[in-house]
Amino acid sequence: MNERILRVLEFNKIIEQLKENAATSLGQDAAAHVKPATDFDRVLEMHEETDEAAQIVRLNEAIPLGGVVDIRANLKRSVIGSMLTTTECLDVANTIYGGRRVKDFIEKLEMDLPILKAQVEQIVPLRELEQEIKNCIDDHGRVMDSASQKLRGLRSSIRTFESRVRDKLDNYTKTNSNMLSDAIVTIRNDRYVLPVKQEYRGSIGGIVHDQSASGQTLFMEPKAVVDLNNQLQEATIKEKQEIERILQALTVQIASQETYLQENVSVLASIDFIFSRAKLGNKMKAAKPKMNNRGIIKMQQARHPLIPVDEVVANDVEIGESYTSIVITGPNTGGKTVTLKMVGLCTLMAQSGLQIPALDGCELAVFNDVFADIGDEQSIEQNLSTFSSHMTNIVNIIEDVDDQSLVLLDELGSGTDPQEGAALAMALLDEVISRDARVIATTHYPELKAYGYNREQVVNASVEFDVETLQPTYRLLLGVPGRSNAFEISKRLGLNDTIIDRAKGLIGVDSKGVDNMIASLEKAQLGAEHDYQQAHDTLLDSEKLKEQLEKEWHNFEGQREALFKKAEEKAEKALTNAREEAELIVDEIRKMKTNAGLKEHEWIEAKKMLEEAQPNLSKKQQDKVKKPSPSNTELYPGDEINLLTINQKGTVLEKIDKNEYLVQVGIMKVKVKRKDLQFIGKQKQVVERPLATVKGSSYHVSTELDLRGERYEDALLKLEKYVDDALLAGYPKVSIIHGKGTGALRKGVQEFVKKHPGIASARQGTMGEGGSGVTVIAFA
């Protein structure tokens, strides 16, 4: 983008606001160098970055960038071998720590942040280097005693020498205070001295290091402390050398990690810049724009980014689909230029990854160039008039404009003869429009009002003016050209009606007709906007009512489900009690079967039918059951069916012919027509040992039951069911595998066998059958 265009549209002020929202000098530097991008994919990526950061900003989450500084200059110095200072080393450690905090902060957020999380993955923690620096330098930038054993020893010696020197000098201040200007110990040239009066110079003796301005006081080092001061100086020099050695070693370590540190700094600069864009968007109450590369701009309630929210007037702007050019007419100070700058500045912001001060759903295009001729740029030095200045800019624009350009022209054709200016303005617009550029132009010329009606790609627009208050409202009216308000304004200001009527008579009939048409259009547009607002309010009320009804319906559904569940639980409990009572009755009748001549398998079958009689109460459970197939589905042996005539489940044994099957229901085998059978599902396939067919029965059950690994209660329940099934199958004997273990399960099996009336005898398995881990039972 041309630097002059960025300046004219005041993009530099947006940059300043970006810098204010950056948390580090790295982010400020990135903001200072921002330029609108022209690559469509890059613009989309920047908006995704900003949107991710905006999600965090909206939650009032503050990214921890404290301590992060720009260490790039320090890294360059370390690489070329220059020793870093303690402050510079500490900046490196703090930046490493800050980077790690940012990495942890982003990674721990339970949000969908693919771009930010991918960026922080590139941050290398470098904990060892950070710890090494922190072990040597404290938070105030002082090398600590613990940095090395030698430094610790030297500083201990320095403290000893200082103490001894002070003790000797303190004795002087006590015993010879009359010879001193002040009873204190001070330092000159890094040596401890006393302030001695001039006349007592010989009495004290020693080396003079300095004197006062008056010459009456000499700062002397007594002979008694010269050797101690020399030893102190020697230790201090060694301390300085050791500190330099430590800093040099740290510098080498920093230089060895220069690549990783540069990458960390780059990532942190990018993240701070992204968050500065999100923070600025939040302050502007901005929205993420939908970007396109088709030259389409659609903004509802768009505001100029640099005008305070409580002062700016929001406007709707649309260009690029039905028309490619807008010609705005109207009086001065009405807001035409503000509208031009708003569209241009919002475009530059959008192409820089910034959100736009407009309603959600706004749409902007990515242009290769934004051209603008706005304001009076006449130059006395270059001997250029206002018209010449405008034409110079327009000539440059015409040279480069194409279908990927946005052109903003303020007061097109002004500064010269009105007729020539209007003709020139129309010719220039024709040229730019012919290149399929997007154009927004402002003008005073009434001839351009008709121009907008005679071109398919052009639409008229104006800025509203309130004649009652004699003030512009700054509202943009698309589709309505501006009209002159000179007569109304003059009348409001007190001009005589006779003069105004005479002036009206002097203007042409065509001009009157155009003004009347414009007035009618304005009235129609205002009415349409009012109707739209009412419809919009009604829509909002309807949506609110819909949400309320949906919420109440949801609550009703929940209450109904709760009542159903409560009723089902109550019914289930009643059924359980009834089943338990039925079991007791069956057991009592079984005990009397000998006297009554009843058969065991009949009671077992009755018991099974009792279990199957329980209904499926829960609607949700019924929904999970597979719906039965239609009555024309072909059945195969083993399929589970429902005999509709008696509403009982059974199994298909064989197919007799096309419409008749042999089925088993309980202990009965019957021939049934296909229309009376309802398919339920395929029988579960269980891999068992070869099945025995006893006494002509085809009831399928294994001749063994393995109870190993089962809990005691579960095992006895399985045993009871298995014995019933074996009796129905007609087996003479079966084997119960219970294992040896503790013997508890074996004992339980044996007690069950003794009590069961259908079991004639039981024995322990032989060596070939499993020994004491198996019980073989024979049926009566």
Side-chain angles (χ1 to χ4, degrees), residues 353-397:
L354 289 162
Q355 296 183 338
I356 303 305
L359 294 183
D360 286 338
C362 57
E363 186 171 0
L364 284 159
V366 176
F367 295 102
N368 288 339
D369 286 294
V370 175
F371 298 107
D373 177 53
I374 298 174
D376 185 1
E377 297 187 23
Q378 61 179 315
S379 171
I380 295 175
E381 288 111 359
Q382 296 180 18
N383 195 27
L384 293 177
S385 66
T386 298
F387 176 76
S388 299
S389 174
H390 280 299
M391 287 311 301
T392 300
N393 291 335
I394 292 172
V395 168
N396 294 330
I397 291 172

Side-chain angles (χ1 to χ4, degrees), residues 169 191-194 204-209 219-230:
L169 293 180
R191 300 177 78 87
Y192 286 95
V193 295
L194 293 173
I204 295 295
I207 302 170
V208 176
H209 287 281
F219 295 95
M220 297 185 63
E221 178 184 3
K223 293 180 181 179
V225 297
V226 170
D227 289 340
L228 286 174
N229 262 333
N230 288 340

